[in-house]
Amino acid sequence: MEETKNMYSAEDLETTKTRNRLIKIAKQKHIDVIKTLKNLKYEDELKQLQAELVDLQQWVMKHKKRVAILFEGRDAAGKGGSIKRFTEHLNPRAMRVVALNKPTEVERGQWYFRRYIKELPEPGEIVFFDRSWYNRAVVEPVMGFCTDEQYKRFMIQVPEFEHMLYEDGVLLIKFWFSISKDEQQKRFLSRMENPLKKWKFSPVDMKGQELWDKYTYFKEEMFSNTHTSFSPWIIVKTNSKKTARLESIKYVLSRFDYSRRNSSKAHLFPDPNVIMRYFRNAEQIDN
C-alpha cells in the first residue's frame, strides 16, 4: 500500500492538465518528483536503446555474424540485471544467455575450454555469457576451486584461445562490471532482506567481502595477462545500476556498423567516465 501511495495513479495522469497540479499531487502523496523524472528519463532512453539492439540483432542475423558478450565482475555488480535489459526484446531464436553451473565430474577431466566452446554463437546469433571461462582467472583461484597448475595453464592458454576465436570471425566483447566494496555490501544486505532476491545470495557472496583484496589481486593479474588488442577488457562502473545498463548497451551498439545505426535518434556513444578500455593506470572503483 505504501508503494502505491507514493506513486501517481493512471487517473492522476489522465485527469491532470497542468504541471502545478501534478506537483500538488506529488506533495500530497509524498512523491519524489526528481527521482520520478530520472526514472522516466531512464525508461525512455532504455526503450530507445533496446530498439537499436533489435536492429543490431537483425543485422547480425542477416550477415551471419557470431557475437559473444562476456559479463564478468564481482558478485552483485549488476551483471544479471544488465543482461536482462539487453535481451528482453530480442528474438529468442537468435539469442541465448549462458550461465553454466559448476562443472560435472566428466567436465572436470576435460580440457577447461571445452564446455564453453559448445556454447559459442552460431552464425547469426548473439550469446550473452553470465560469467564465462574467466571463472578460472578470478573466482576459482580466490576460492580454492582450482590448483595453481590449472590456473597458470589457463592464463597461458586464454589469449591464444581468444586469438583463435578472433581469427575465426567470432566478435568477442569482454565486460568487467566494477563495483565498490561499500556498494557491494549494501546490495548483499538488500538481497538478504528481500524474500524475492534471497536466492541470489550465497555463502560465497559474503566471502567476496572477506576476500576483497585477494579478488583485487587476481583481477589485476587477469587484466595484465588477458587484455589484448584483439580482445580488450571493457570496464564498466556499476555503482549506479541504471547508468551501467545504459552505457554498456551503448558500447555494444557503438562496436557495430549495423544497417540503421546512422539514422538512429538515440545517443549511441558511451560515457567515458562510466565505461572505458582497461589500461594499467586506469582508476577503478573496486580496487
Side-chain angles (χ1 to χ4, degrees), residues 52-233:
E52 293 297 317
L53 284 172
V54 171
D55 289 341
L56 171 62
Q57 186 187 40
Q58 293 294 317
W59 178 83
V60 168
M61 293 167 65
K62 179 180 179 180
H63 295 279
K64 303 297 183 185
K65 300 294 184 180
R66 291 175 290 160
V67 181
I69 306 176
L70 277 52
F71 291 78
E72 293 290 343
R74 298 178 192 257
D75 293 312
K79 300 179 293 297
S82 290
I83 292 172
K84 180 180 178 181
R85 273 67 184 186
F86 266 92
T87 62
E88 61 185 341
H89 296 293
L90 297 183
N91 182 345
R93 295 178 181 176
M95 172 277 294
R96 284 182 290 123
V97 176
V98 175
L100 298 183
N101 291 317
K102 64 180 182 179
T104 65
E105 190 64 36
V106 172
E107 288 173 330
R108 281 196 286 270
Q110 297 173 344
W111 182 43
Y112 179 75
F113 292 97
R114 180 173 174 178
R115 72 188 196 124
Y116 293 103
I117 289 173
K118 293 185 293 184
E119 304 293 345
L120 289 171
E122 302 292 343
E125 187 179 41
I126 305 174
V127 175
F128 300 85
F129 284 86
D130 188 350
R131 294 198 182 278
S132 66
W133 46 88
Y134 280 102
N135 268 342
R136 179 143 292 180
V138 181
V139 176
E140 290 190 16
V142 168
M143 302 303 297
F145 295 158
C146 68
T147 66
D148 288 345
E149 182 183 352
Q150 289 172 327
Y151 168 75
K152 290 175 183 177
R153 186 187 310 128
F154 170 84
M155 296 298 281
I156 292 170
Q157 291 182 347
V158 69
E160 298 175 10
F161 171 66
E162 290 177 358
H163 192 252
M164 286 190 289
L165 296 180
Y166 169 76
E167 288 188 324
D168 201 52
V170 175
L171 302 168
L172 182 65
I173 295 174
K174 302 190 303 192
F175 282 130
W176 177 268
F177 275 35
S178 180
I179 185 175
S180 69
K181 188 175 184 179
D182 288 345
E183 181 62 24
Q184 185 192 55
Q185 186 176 41
K186 288 178 186 176
R187 293 184 188 178
F188 283 164
L189 294 174
S190 175
R191 286 180 177 183
M192 292 168 67
E193 294 168 359
N194 188 333
L196 299 178
K197 292 184 178 181
K198 280 185 177 180
W199 64 271
K200 288 186 174 183
F201 188 79
S202 71
V204 173
D205 291 337
M206 196 53 77
K207 280 283 188 180
Q209 284 273 300
E210 297 173 15
L211 300 171
W212 182 271
D213 291 341
K214 195 172 182 181
Y215 267 97
T216 298
Y217 170 79
F218 280 102
K219 176 199 70 168
E220 288 302 318
E221 286 294 299
M222 177 188 72
F223 286 154
S224 297
N225 289 281
T226 67
H227 175 78
T228 60
S229 60
F230 53 85
S231 184
W233 276 105

Side-chain angles (χ1 to χ4, degrees), residues 13-30:
L13 298 175
E14 289 172 2
T15 59
T16 303
K17 305 297 182 183
T18 67
R19 186 175 68 172
N20 287 339
R21 175 59 182 161
L22 280 174
I23 293 173
K24 185 176 180 179
I25 294 173
K27 290 179 179 179
Q28 291 171 346
K29 294 191 171 187
H30 306 288

